Amino acid sequence: MQLGNLWMAIIASLLACISVAQAGDRIIHDGEFEFLRQQHGERWDAEDKEIDKMLEAIRAKQGGKRPNILYILIDDVSFGQMGNRTLNYVTGISTPSINEFAEEGLSLMRMYTEPSCTPTRAAMLTGRHPVRTGLKEVKVALVGEGLPATEVTIAEVLSAAGYRTSHVGKWHQGDIEQSYPHNQGFDYAAFPLHQQVQLSLMTDDAADSFRLIGYADKTQSNAFAIDTKFKPSGLVTGVEAKKGGTAHEIDLKPGEKWTQKHYIRMNERYQRQAIDQLRELSKGDKPFFLQYWPLWPLNFVNDQERNVSHNGGHFAEKLQRLDGMLGEVFDEVDNLGIAENTLIVLMADNGLMHFYPSYASGLNELIYRGGKTDHLEGGVRVDAFVRWPGVIDAGGAAGDIVHVSDLYTTFARLGQATENIPTDRVIDGIDQTALLLKGEHHGRRDYVYIYENEILRSVVKQEFKMHVPRPGLPGAGAPVFNLYRDPREEEPFVGLPLWSGASFQDMIKRHMMMIAKYPHAKLGKGKPYEGIDNLRPESKETVATFMSWQPSN
């Protein structure tokens, strides 16, 4: 009874703290952050006043203009794969432009993402764990799902504060009209409806390279095939659109077959468009938010006359080429004279796509074990670099924990747009402005919850990480790792969970309490490809087939 009363008192205290925080800060954060705020709130409030003065001085130096924000998100690259000359030599992949960029700013050494691309992008866009929004996993073909209109993206938050907003490159947030970027706060968008599996793997070129088995008809006789609709076909490729308008598919005619050459052109086109958008957005007095999410280095065909990296793998080649392309983007920012008022964040969305062996792809795990789809550090620990000349000191590094959702609240703070963040739901992203402006030890997060789809698989606290125990296994016997001593999570030691197991379980309870109070939102649903004004006949047929078996309601 005494333990029960104690636990009820703790719950009451935490909920009271949450209520006070909501009244004062307006933003509703997860229970673990409020638990930290109980301990550090007064100090953080005082520091925030100092940060406000720093930001005011930064804006005054720029004639009152708020900073531009350029966010570059690279697909499926392990921690250490870019930005590090030593590991460049280890892997045989040269990234001199990214290396230089890393030295010009702050390296976030403990940046956590979600285990795969759609969830990571959703977390950044909404500031919320993907389990809350329904975008929990990667989808390849037609699904009739996507980012719901009820979510409030960082583009919408900044746009409402007067920012011009553009998105170029991978999107992967759904194939329904409400989920398209130009319907989620972006003034301009150039993006593929799906992702690289469709664009570089579901092709005859990939079949000839033995990268995809069974999809291309020529790879088997199909003698016993009855269902002629089993293999995805007629998928929309790349579209362009403006806010308030319809999308228009480009570079693929009716009846034309998508090839690796189309994919190469798409990558090159997005590079040109990113630079064009930089030039256009830099005009005038309004600040801008530009997302550039390249498709490379994901590439499944050896499509070059001669490979140029020491490594030569089909992913490695494109990573090295992408480095040169990003160098062009950085140079353009400098040449436009906007560098000192432009925050650039460059990072990866998750670990490597390790389903393709390193002897073919050229990428490997390096330091951490695991990769895409894994809750292991190799799946969710990524390189992340931040540059803002004259504001963020060059050559810095921070060991503070950061989660990709923190960019949501941080960008909003920098853009004086915090008031546009919704206050009727949990926002997992923590404002990390103090970390950016004051450096290491000024972060406000020492924890991360890591999901695989809807399953909570591990919890990080400081340098410790618990793999959530299987049913029946007590917390005191759960696998717990010291990530400094065992970064590959290979040797759980009972001396860790014996003291930390209960504390980890309390963290999970605080997290689940907030889920109970603020249930998960519903995933957006609808008819695929609506809002595209030039659907090819084969795409219309694909949609009709998909809708033929959907519930009438």
Side-chain angles (χ1 to χ4, degrees):
M1 178 65 71
Q2 290 179 338
L3 287 175
N5 290 338
L6 177 61
W7 174 236
M8 292 304 296
I10 291 173
I11 292 177
S13 174
L14 179 61
L15 290 177
C17 170
I18 291 170
S19 298
V20 171
Q22 289 169 11
D25 294 348
R26 299 183 67 241
I27 297 175
I28 301 170
H29 285 302
D30 203 358
E32 190 63 18
F33 177 77
E34 300 303 344
F35 191 70
L36 293 177
R37 187 166 179 79
Q38 283 186 3
Q39 304 169 52
H40 304 284
E42 290 186 8
R43 178 172 63 84
W44 288 347
D45 288 344
E47 186 176 52
D48 278 336
K49 293 180 180 178
E50 181 183 352
I51 295 299
D52 284 340
K53 292 180 180 178
M54 294 175 70
L55 290 173
E56 185 178 355
I58 292 167
R59 290 191 296 270
K61 188 178 178 181
Q62 298 297 329
K65 187 176 180 181
R66 291 163 292 169
N68 307 310
I69 301 170
L70 170 58
Y71 179 51
I72 302 172
L73 188 61
I74 300 177
D75 217 4
D76 294 3
V77 178
S78 298
F79 182 89
Q81 198 78 68
M82 57 186 182
N84 186 305
R85 187 175 67 171
T86 299
L87 290 177
N88 281 178
Y89 276 90
V90 170
T91 62
I93 306 169
S94 181
T95 60
S97 296
I98 299 175
N99 298 357
E100 182 180 358
F101 177 85
E103 287 299 320
E104 291 173 343
L106 177 68
S107 296
L108 300 175
M109 294 300 192
R110 291 196 71 183
M111 170 62 84
Y112 281 87
T113 64
E114 298 297 313
S116 58
C117 43
T118 295
T120 288
R121 293 157 201 268
M124 180 271 161
L125 287 165
T126 67
R128 287 153 54 78
H129 277 304
V131 70
R132 301 191 196 277
T133 63
L135 285 133
K136 303 170 293 186
E137 63 175 312
V138 170
K139 300 292 178 69
V140 174
L142 222 61
V143 291
E145 300 172 353
L147 184 66
T150 51
E151 291 298 325
V152 181
T153 69
I154 185 59
E156 291 173 306
V157 168
L158 291 172
S159 182
Y163 271 70
R164 300 173 70 189
T165 56
S166 290
H167 173 87
V168 176
K170 183 170 180 174
W171 178 245
H172 209 185
Q173 294 296 294
D175 57 14
I176 55 176
E177 188 172 11
Q178 63 185 292
S179 70
Y180 303 158
H182 56 286
N183 295 325
Q184 291 283 353
F186 289 94
D187 300 323
Y188 170 83
F191 63 103
L193 258 290
H194 302 285
Q195 31 71 314
Q196 298 96 318
V197 169
Q198 173 211 6
L199 300 170
S200 182
L201 195 56
M202 292 166 59
T203 66
D204 286 347
D205 308 87
D208 292 340
S209 299
F210 295 98
R211 295 288 183 262
L212 191 68
I213 306 301
Y215 177 73
D217 286 339
K218 67 179 182 178
T219 60
Q220 61 280 311
S221 71
N222 305 300
F224 295 98
I226 299 175
D227 183 355
T228 61
K229 304 291 187 180
F230 179 65
K231 297 176 181 179
S233 63
L235 300 178
V236 171
T237 55
V239 301
E240 296 178 8
K242 293 182 179 179
K243 183 183 289 185
T246 56
H248 192 85
E249 187 176 25
I250 60 172
D251 198 29
L252 195 66
K253 299 175 183 178
E256 185 180 4
K257 204 169 192 177
W258 182 268
T259 68
Q260 182 70 9
K261 289 182 179 179
H262 288 89
Y263 183 58
I264 294 171
R265 289 202 300 266
M266 177 179 276
N267 279 274
E268 293 172 344
R269 182 170 66 251
Y270 288 156
Q271 172 71 3
R272 292 193 304 270
Q273 289 172 321
I275 291 176
D276 288 345
Q277 284 299 304
L278 268 177
R279 292 170 179 165
E280 178 62 28
L281 293 169
S282 65
K283 300 174 183 176
D285 296 327
K286 286 189 174 183
F288 67 78
F289 173 57
L290 171 60
Q291 285 188 164
Y292 180 27
W293 294 357
L295 298 172
W296 283 338
L298 281 198
N299 175 71
F300 298 92
V301 177
N302 186 11
D303 56 19
Q304 299 173 183
E305 291 186 7
R306 180 178 179 84
N307 289 345
V308 296
S309 71
H310 299 311
N311 181 303
H314 53 84
F315 288 179
E317 281 297 307
K318 298 310 183 193
L319 179 57
Q320 184 158 315
R321 181 169 179 183
L322 179 61
D323 176 81
M325 294 164 66
L326 294 180
E328 295 174 358
V329 173
F330 304 146
D331 288 345
E332 189 64 30
V333 171
D334 296 340
N335 294 336
L336 289 169
I338 60 173
E340 292 191 356
N341 198 37
T342 301
L343 171 75
I344 306 178
V345 177
L346 166 67
M347 60 180 287
D349 67 347
N350 48 252
L352 84 160
M353 190 176 184
H354 56 162
F355 307 107
Y356 280 82
S358 58
Y359 63 76
S361 75
L363 302 188
N364 55 68
E365 292 179 352
L366 294 177
I367 298 166
Y368 299 111
R369 183 165 63 96
K372 190 181 186 82
T373 73
D374 290 334
H375 69 105
L376 300 171
E377 295 291 285
V380 294
R381 281 281 288 276
V382 299
D383 293 310
F385 313 109
V386 186
R387 191 189 84 168
W388 191 358
V391 177
I392 296 175
D393 292 337
D400 308 63
I401 292 178
V402 182
H403 185 260
V404 65
S405 64
D406 296 347
L407 298 178
Y408 181 88
T409 37
T410 304
F411 289 172
R413 173 86 177 274
L414 294 174
Q416 293 184 297
T418 302
E419 65 180 16
N420 300 324
I421 293 175
T423 58
D424 61 348
R425 65 201 70 183
V426 172
I427 300 296
D428 296 289
I430 305 303
D431 176 14
Q432 298 280 20
T433 305
L435 175 62
L436 297 187
L437 299 189
K438 300 184 72 175
E440 191 172 50
H441 302 301
H442 289 277
R444 298 186 181 181
R445 174 192 289 276
D446 70 348
Y447 66 94
V448 178
Y449 297 97
I450 303 174
Y451 282 82
E452 289 180 356
N453 206 312
E454 73 276 4
I455 306 299
L456 181 61
R457 289 299 309 277
S458 58
V459 181
V460 175
K461 184 72 168 180
Q462 299 159 17
E463 69 263 40
F464 307 106
K465 182 174 183 178
M466 169 190 271
H467 293 183
V468 176
R470 57 173 172 77
L473 182 67
V480 177
F481 305 86
N482 182 316
L483 294 173
Y484 291 137
R485 301 185 185 189
D486 185 11
R488 294 183 62 79
E489 301 163 79
E490 293 176 325
E491 299 179 8
F493 174 53
V494 72
L496 289 170
L498 287 176
W499 69 263
S500 68
S503 294
F504 274 114
Q505 288 177 315
D506 288 347
M507 289 179 65
I508 294 173
K509 290 173 184 175
R510 290 191 281 269
H511 182 57
M512 294 303 171
M513 285 166 56
M514 289 300 287
I515 291 175
K517 188 172 183 179
Y518 296 94
H520 299 330
K522 293 183 178 180
L523 180 66
K525 299 279 189 177
K527 183 179 180 180
Y529 297 164
E530 288 189 315
I532 300 173
D533 60 24
N534 64 331
L535 279 183
R536 290 171 285 123
E538 53 267 40
S539 299
K540 293 179 180 179
E541 181 181 351
T542 293
V543 172
T545 299
F546 177 83
M547 296 303 296
S548 69
W549 58 269
Q550 300 296 316
S552 58
N553 58 346

